[in-house]
Every structure is written in C-alpha cells, then in structure tokens.
Amino acid sequence: GYPGGTMGERMLLITPEQLNTIGYLWEAHKVRNHIVHNSEYKMTHSDAVRFLSLFEAVLKELNAINE
C-alpha cells in the first residue's frame, strides 16, 4: 500500500518502528538486484541460506508465514 514506482522507493517510506526487520529487507533486496542486473553474479550456498533467512524473518514479522 506504499506509493512509489519501485520496491526501493516504497521501502524508503517504511520506518523501523513500522517494521523491525526493514534492514533485513533492504539487505535481501540489494542481493536480489545484484542477481537480476548482473548475469555474472555468483552466490555461495552459505550466502543463499543467509538471505533466505532474512526474507523469512521479514515474512514472519509481517505474519505472511507461520513459525
């Protein structure tokens, strides 16, 4: 429900008071952008596990998934 032309523009409007895990979301979003915009980007297995855990924490806070 946030205005903006891109996910990044919408995320700028979210404060830590609204979403404790906004830092996690930013970190995961930046990695997503690297994957999409850099065909040579390589991710290690441990990085993939870490970024999935960041998304999981955000989704849990939003009650989009259960624990």
Side-chain angles (χ1 to χ4, degrees):
Y2 290 93
T6 66
M7 183 65 169
E9 289 173 359
R10 291 187 289 271
M11 288 170 51
L12 285 171
L13 301 174
I14 302 171
T15 66
E17 291 76 23
Q18 295 169 304
L19 185 66
N20 290 326
T21 54
I22 188 64
Y24 294 175
L25 187 57
W26 270 112
E27 189 174 346
H29 180 68
K30 289 175 186 177
V31 171
R32 176 256 178 219
N33 284 345
H34 286 299
I35 292 167
V36 170
H37 299 292
N38 181 356
S39 62
E40 296 182 18
Y41 180 78
K42 303 288 186 220
M43 181 181 292
T44 65
H45 180 266
S46 61
D47 283 343
V49 169
R50 175 170 159 45
F51 295 121
L52 286 173
S53 71
L54 296 176
F55 274 124
E56 181 181 31
V58 173
L59 292 172
K60 283 181 179 177
E61 182 178 355
L62 294 171
N63 294 314
I65 60 172
N66 296 323
E67 292 191 45

